[in-house]
Amino acid sequence: MVTVGPKVMADMSPIDSYPVRFVYNVVQIILCSYMCVEAFMIAYRNGYPVLPCAPFDAENPPAANLLWLFYVSKVLDFMDTIFIVLKKSWRQLSFLHVYHHCTIFLFYWLNVNAGYDGDVYLTIVLNGFIHTVMYTYYFVSMHTKDIWWKKYLTLMQMIQFVCMTTQALYLLTTGCTSYPPRIVVVYAGYILSLLFLFAQFYVNSYTKKPTAKNA
Amino acid sequence: MVTVGPKVMADMSPIDSYPVRFVYNVVQIILCSYMCVEAFMIAYRNGYPVLPCAPFDAENPPAANLLWLFYVSKVLDFMDTIFIVLKKSWRQLSFLHVYHHCTIFLFYWLNVNAGYDGDVYLTIVLNGFIHTVMYTYYFVSMHTKDIWWKKYLTLMQMIQFVCMTTQALYLLTTGCTSYPPRIVVVYAGYILSLLFLFAQFYVNSYTKKPTAKNA
């Protein structure tokens, strides 16, 4: 999509898929809200502890169905990339965007196959919430560009990654083996790479004073 | 609240509870989305038929917990009235608003106690969806007043009532007794009263040409 898309669009005028994006954002708000609350409810109903190291039930995993839905929803997220390509908004087709979308999909393929229960629920609570706020932001931005809380959205995304890293480090340092430890190691490294990229985006977007060049 | 509120506010300046409304609308979007999708999932998981007359399990009602949450969420909805009173926006404190909020609360008290399973799930799917869109509308309107789909929201609310009335009439005409028929009769009449009030609001708000008096 990222390599072929720009070539296909080269001779075409940009397409602003307003009606599709309108419905898409509302659907994403509803779906992400559901996944966030349902992940919390699964943890609550199954008596997961407040601190990490929840039980992992390989036979009847209570979180598996929801995790599968979360994985499939990452396919739906690729629509974001399609909208960018159609709009020929190449600046938005950043390394952060492409890296994030591709790797998260591969990572949850791994989770669906090997880490499909227990502590994985927290990533759905956190990411479901952030995605709800993010698609709400996209929806509001279809009405006005004047959104004072834009930078707080990026901040919330970074707080999300800090929570996820903390959970992973807790699992590793306490020697918890209910969730596959090798996945946790890869996960911690991966989330830190995202935290770094988002922090870089935050600094570039909100802290640098505009110069004549990029004003 | 409706009688005492205006008296309390009489000597006070209007209060615009922006920060509370900001969080409140996001919470409502997430909660209503969850209830909408979860009601659908309960119907799906328990093999409810496409046409009304779903089984009513009085012993282990799969929909009861969610219905209870839906009932409690109607208490949260009273915040809307509090915001109106604080803002001293008396025009919004209409008969439609007060009648709707009070009666829906009483009606779901009845449902929680006597109609707590089966076909009641559809009202949560429909109303959860409409409330998600409505609180999204409120949230967008905190950013801009220029929302082209405002009248379509009222239209969608009316379509919701038509679907609910159709379900009730189907249950009554096919002689379905799994859901308490006496509740269905009261429900059909109640929903028709709401449809009438919303239609009246639609005509007054969107079809009458502004005159010198109300322009």
Side-chain angles (χ1 to χ4, degrees), chain A residues 18 22 26 29-31 33-38 41 45 69 129 132-133 136-137 139-140 143-144 146-149, chain B residues 18 22 26 29-31 33-38 41 45 69 129 132-133 136-137 139-140 143-144 146-149:
Chain A
Y18 186 94
F22 194 89
V26 175
I29 290 170
I30 294 175
L31 182 62
S33 295
Y34 168 71
M35 294 190 297
C36 169
V37 181
E38 179 63 9
M41 296 300 275
R45 282 189 221 119
L69 180 66
F129 176 73
T132 302
V133 177
T136 304
Y137 168 82
F139 190 72
V140 174
H143 297 79
T144 175
D146 182 28
I147 302 172
W148 62 265
W149 47 279
Chain B
Y18 186 95
F22 194 89
V26 175
I29 290 170
I30 294 176
L31 182 62
S33 296
Y34 168 71
M35 294 190 297
C36 168
V37 181
E38 180 62 9
M41 295 301 274
R45 283 189 219 117
L69 180 66
F129 177 73
T132 302
V133 177
T136 304
Y137 168 82
F139 190 72
V140 175
H143 297 79
T144 175
D146 182 27
I147 302 171
W148 62 265
W149 47 279

Side-chain angles (χ1 to χ4, degrees), chain B:
Chain B
M1 202 167 357
V2 175
T3 50
V4 177
K7 283 173 195 160
V8 172
M9 292 302 295
D11 299 328
M12 291 167 73
S13 338
I15 301 164
D16 181 25
S17 39
Y18 186 95
V20 182
R21 280 193 295 129
F22 194 89
V23 176
Y24 170 78
N25 287 329
V26 175
V27 170
Q28 282 279 25
I29 290 170
I30 294 176
L31 182 62
C32 297
S33 296
Y34 168 71
M35 294 190 297
C36 168
V37 181
E38 180 62 9
F40 177 83
M41 295 301 274
I42 285 171
Y44 178 77
R45 283 189 219 117
N46 292 280
Y48 283 8
V50 175
L51 289 174
C53 205
F56 192 107
D57 187 344
E59 294 303 312
N60 294 298
N65 275 334
L66 182 66
L67 184 71
W68 180 83
L69 180 66
F70 186 75
Y71 171 61
V72 171
S73 82
K74 295 295 160 201
V75 181
L76 191 62
D77 291 359
F78 283 124
M79 292 285 287
D80 290 328
T81 315
I82 296 178
F83 296 140
I84 292 176
V85 171
L86 287 177
K87 225 172 103 190
K88 299 178 85 166
S89 173
W90 309 131
R91 198 180 53 83
Q92 281 184 277
L93 204 66
S94 60
F95 175 74
L96 169 60
H97 179 91
V98 177
Y99 169 76
H100 177 49
H101 275 244
C102 293
T103 49
I104 203 85
F105 188 67
L106 293 172
F107 206 92
Y108 277 86
W109 172 83
L110 179 67
N111 273 338
V112 163
N113 285 283
Y116 46 78
D117 198 35
D119 288 289
V120 76
Y121 89 91
L122 191 68
T123 70
I124 309 180
V125 172
L126 295 173
N127 196 260
F129 177 73
I130 291 291
H131 271 228
T132 302
V133 177
M134 194 181 78
Y135 286 105
T136 304
Y137 168 82
Y138 286 151
F139 190 72
V140 175
S141 78
M142 295 184 78
H143 297 79
T144 175
K145 297 293 158 203
D146 182 27
I147 302 171
W148 62 265
W149 47 279
K150 188 181 176 186
K151 74 185 237 185
Y152 298 101
L153 172 59
T154 314
L155 259 179
M156 280 166 69
Q157 286 168 318
M158 290 194 285
I159 293 169
Q160 173 206 203
F161 295 134
V162 171
C163 293
M164 288 171 170
T165 312
T166 308
Q167 183 201 28
L169 292 180
Y170 182 93
L171 288 172
L172 292 174
T173 52
T174 56
C176 171
T177 51
S178 66
Y179 199 78
R182 281 186 298 180
I183 297 187
V184 179
V185 174
V186 182
Y187 180 69
Y190 174 57
I191 293 297
L192 282 173
S193 76
L194 287 179
L195 178 60
F196 173 78
L197 287 168
F198 273 77
Q200 198 180 38
F201 174 80
Y202 186 90
V203 171
N204 285 338
S205 304
Y206 310 119
T207 62
K208 281 187 183 161
K209 280 180 188 156
T211 62
K213 212 173 170 184
N214 58 18

